[in-house]
Amino acid sequence: MTATRPPKITAKAPARRVSQRRATDRRRSVQATDESIGMRLSARQSKAVMRSQPFVAGASLFNMLVVGLAAPQDLPNALVLAWMVALIVLQGVQVQRWMAWRRTAASTSAPRGNGQAAAQDLRLQLVLAGLHGLLWGVVPLLMLDHPGERQQTLLMTSLAAMLAVGALGLAALPRAAWLYMGLLGSGSLAAFVVSPQWVFGIGVVQWLLLGGLAVMLGRSVAKALHARVSAEVKGEHQNQLIGLLLRDFSEQGSDVIWEIDGSGRLRHVTRQLAFALGRDSAELEGESLMNLLGDMQKGMSDSDRETTLALHERLTEGHPFRDVQVGVMIDGKQRWWSMTAKPLVDERGRSLGWRGVARDVTQARMADRKLAWLAHFDALTGLTNRAHFRVLLEKALSHTRRYGGGGAVMCLDLDGFKNVNDTLGHATGDVLLTEVGKRLRSAVGNARSDVVARLGGDEFAVLLRTATTEADVAAVAQAILDAMKPPCVTQGAEIPVRASIGIARFPEDGLSVDEMMQHADLALYDAKAHATGSMRFFAQRMGEQVRRRLILERDLREALERKQLHLYFQPKVDLNGWRVTGFEALLRWTHPEHGDIPPSEFIPVAEEAGLILAIGEWALLEACVHAARWPDDLQVAVNISPVQVMAQNLPDAVQNALRVSGLPAHRLELEITESVFINETRGTVGRLHALRRLGVAIALDDFGTGYSSLAYLRRFPFDTLKIDRAFVRELLVSRDARAIVRNILALAKALRMSTVAEGVEEPAQVKVLEAEGCDLVQGFYVAKPLPADQVLHFALTWTGRDRPALPRDFSLGQTQTADLVTMMPATVI
Ligand code: C2E
Ligand code: MG
Ligand code: MG
């Protein structure tokens, strides 16, 4: 309740004034203690005496009758009568006082009267005891000349009884007891002195014995009374002190003190409490705490309202409790109080209610909630985080283990995200990740049962609990891939978004969180290795593949240093003059254990492991160094990975290779694939132009595969177009393939690009390509890739080889170019 502290004088008073005031309060309170002990003692003494009054009066009247009957005959009746009347009047006064005392005792439980009244009362009691003692003290003197022994015995017995009555009845008031007994005993003593008879002697002895008893009794009773009263007074004083300290604490601190009685009603309402509740202290006094809290919870959620039930339970249990948090609405805003309290009990252990403190913990609770949220969600995208995703996955899996059913886990990874982050900065990277999060959420759709999570970096995951069949899961995955297709537009730049998806299904592919995540990861790995923007379901074989891949990655790091990489060269032959025009450099890795590993396997590994830049630079330089030793009319073509194209230093690397090797730029051709454009970032095309300005030729490799789009051809004016060997392979068996090749060649010609057909293995393919106007061929028909030391020999001996002869039954087919356009795959057009 710190936030709502009232602007009160005490709270703002200088600390010194406050502490002075506190000290004065305490001093006053200590002085008051002695006074109140005396007062209370008087009251208690008076009370103890009063209690025995009916018995004292009864005994007195009875013994009075005995004395009256046993009085000597010669004693004037008037004297005896006067004595009796005096005693009756005296006892009457006492009984009246007793009745008055009873009435007041019944009407209040508090210690009666004030100090003065109690002292007056005691004085009166002393006088009455004196009178009583006097009346009974005269009895032995009246009996001096008593003739009968029996009467004398009766008289002495009555006197002894009255001595005992006084000793016991006035034990709580020693002074009165001593006065009474002194006067009563003095009569016997005087009688014995005047007439030393044995009866008076007995009276004196009794007096002495009972007097001693009365003194002792009186002392111990007085002591006990004093001890009890002072304990009471000290206890109360301590309570007052505690109250004082609590009030100070309440006024100074952030905690607000509250107290309720046995029936749960507020009492001693502090100003702070009243202020915190926005009410008046007087108005709150006596109001039920639970009702009050109930009224203050309007507009809160059901679960938050239930917090008062917890408080109610604790109050019912009756044990001290700490930090029970209760929600309340104050000024239309929800706040949280932490309640701590102890039960109040009287000296007999009976419940008197509760006293406790309430602290406003709204801020702390909000911070806790934020922390709890962050423990479960990703701060950037608002998606579930890795830890929470695993918990939810475990729940889904245990549900499947118990009740059957199933679902799927998808692992997603953005292709080329690292590049976006590196080239366009982290802020753009964050925009992209947020956008991907949004698209994922809307593509997955079923937010209640399915979970979309960001595992970290550009890794996302989806838990599908509703889509159980493979077809359903594939449909969701496809929806995700489709959602990712449009580029992300930020600050005028278009960033291509491509995600790969790996899927593992449960229970088929596993029933533990680790298994599921690992399998979905393996499938993702496989998807990425296959093609960007694709999806893969987990299959058992993937584990072995990945293991091999990891080993490859480890070994590839050392392959360059250990000189395990070599270049092979595959010739290209000009269909016009049947001459070798150049060679394509192709990487080879001779692994010490696994033997020759094809580039199709280790290049993707190098790309992912970030090794491609070093390997690519090495290949570039190595190829140029070799080519520089070849005849001047032989070109060398070097494959360049998209990762290299995206790296800003590619033009420098090329320039460096040319300079170091001394190879003229026009003898170098760089082969890039269209995936460069799929993951195109700002600067890609500019970099290609920069390379062109160096004088090197640029070829588009593997044309016709993947996402072939003629748009790429318009983005950049390539020098050469390499038709993928998939078309060449089909050339002789498929009309469509032949039509496509013809069309590609026509296009290339229109765009003034030279053309190379890859993977030419048969003479018939050479003839068809020649007839269609292809410029160059490359393939096993001409030669397999050759070790570097055989290149020169091959080039020099090539001229003697014959051109392939066309088989007699061979025909080129009748398809016209116009028809061919309609036969091309839509993606190509
Ligand atoms: P690519 O650039 O399309 O290279 C042509 C591939 O086709 C080579 O495979 C070659 O051996 C193979 N080939 C050539 N003629 C025939 C044929 O008649 N029939 C068949 N079946 N295959 C033929 P290789 O050497 O295994 O290279 C595979 C791919 O690895 C290359 O495809 C290229 O994309 C990549 N690669 C090779 N060397 C490098 C390099 O230094 N850097 C980069 N970034 N990639 C490279
Ligand atoms: Mg190539
Ligand atoms: Mg190729």
Side-chain angles (χ1 to χ4, degrees), residues 621-678:
L621 181 60
E622 184 80 358
C624 291
V625 168
H626 279 289
R629 296 189 208 123
W630 302 341
D632 287 348
D633 58 342
L634 290 181
Q635 253 198 339
V636 68
V638 181
N639 291 286
I640 301 290
S641 152
V643 179
Q644 286 173 276
V645 179
M646 278 186 269
Q648 294 188 356
N649 70 343
L650 182 62
D652 296 340
V654 170
Q655 210 169 11
N656 185 54
L658 293 172
R659 200 190 65 241
V660 172
S661 63
L663 184 77
H666 71 269
R667 288 181 58 201
L668 174 64
E669 184 167 55
L670 303 178
E671 293 189 9
I672 63 166
T673 58
E674 59 199 0
S675 53
V676 162
F677 296 104
I678 293 165

Side-chain angles (χ1 to χ4, degrees), residues 377-388:
F377 296 95
D378 169 49
L380 177 68
T381 57
L383 297 176
T384 303
N385 67 11
R386 182 188 287 272
H388 193 43

Side-chain angles (χ1 to χ4, degrees), residues 7-303:
K8 58 193 180 307
I9 304 154
T10 40
K12 289 198 169 173
R16 198 145 52 93
R17 247 166 57 202
V18 172
S19 69
Q20 274 171 358
R21 198 200 62 206
R22 263 188 271 167
T24 318
D25 281 354
R26 271 177 225 143
R27 211 168 33 245
R28 271 197 210 131
S29 155
V30 171
Q31 281 168 359
T33 312
D34 295 341
E35 279 171 35
S36 60
I37 290 178
M39 269 161 39
R40 206 175 286 230
L41 195 59
S42 306
R44 283 292 159 85
Q45 285 171 320
S46 165
K47 181 179 166 187
V49 171
M50 276 301 165
R51 261 202 204 136
S52 60
Q53 274 313 303
F55 304 102
V56 172
S60 190
L61 291 175
F62 175 75
N63 285 311
M64 178 197 77
L65 285 176
V66 173
V67 169
L69 289 174
Q73 297 294 322
D74 52 346
L75 212 63
N77 278 344
L79 186 68
V80 175
L81 214 64
W83 177 82
M84 286 173 77
V85 169
L87 254 180
I88 289 168
V89 170
L90 188 67
Q91 289 312 319
V93 171
Q94 285 288 53
V95 169
Q96 208 185 3
R97 288 185 63 228
W98 175 78
M99 281 165 63
W101 171 80
R102 280 292 304 256
R103 274 198 303 275
T104 6
S107 65
T108 168
S109 57
R112 283 183 317 127
N114 54 33
Q116 264 184 336
Q120 262 178 12
D121 206 46
L122 280 184
R123 272 198 297 277
L124 182 61
Q125 189 64 52
L126 202 65
V127 172
L128 290 173
L131 285 174
H132 204 199
L134 202 66
L135 281 175
W136 280 102
V138 297
V139 172
L141 295 172
L142 295 176
M143 309 288 157
L144 269 177
D145 297 319
H146 206 288
E149 278 193 4
R150 234 198 294 150
Q151 280 92 339
Q152 272 187 338
T153 313
L154 269 174
L155 287 171
M156 288 317 291
T157 313
S158 300
L159 278 177
M162 285 317 292
L163 261 175
V165 165
L168 297 170
L170 295 169
L173 212 64
R175 280 202 293 169
W178 297 333
L179 182 66
Y180 169 80
M181 292 182 79
L183 289 168
L184 197 152
S186 315
S188 294
L189 190 65
F192 184 71
V193 171
V194 175
S195 160
Q197 293 176 46
W198 64 271
V199 182
F200 300 126
I202 289 174
V204 172
V205 173
Q206 278 174 342
W207 172 61
L208 287 171
L209 289 173
L210 284 168
L213 176 71
V215 168
M216 283 180 60
L217 204 67
R219 271 200 187 156
S220 60
V221 169
K223 228 175 166 178
L225 256 181
H226 190 275
R228 192 164 156 187
V229 166
S230 57
E232 258 177 32
V233 170
K234 275 186 189 148
E236 279 173 18
H237 171 64
Q238 218 158 8
N239 277 351
Q240 279 173 2
L241 260 183
I242 291 170
L244 211 74
L245 291 173
L246 286 178
R247 209 166 47 240
D248 274 358
F249 171 65
S250 165
E251 283 171 6
Q252 301 299 313
S254 61
D255 293 352
V256 170
I257 296 184
W258 56 270
E259 193 177 319
I260 51 173
D261 62 15
S263 53
R265 298 180 185 285
L266 284 168
R267 64 180 186 195
H268 305 149
V269 178
T270 59
R271 271 183 301 165
Q272 285 67 29
L273 179 62
F275 190 86
L277 296 170
R279 301 266 297 274
D280 198 66
S281 311
E283 203 181 292
L284 286 168
E285 197 72 39
E287 196 165 329
S288 156
L289 175 68
M290 294 315 292
N291 287 352
L292 192 72
L293 291 175
D295 288 346
M296 293 177 75
Q297 292 190 318
K298 288 181 184 122
M300 276 167 44
S301 72
D302 286 350
S303 63

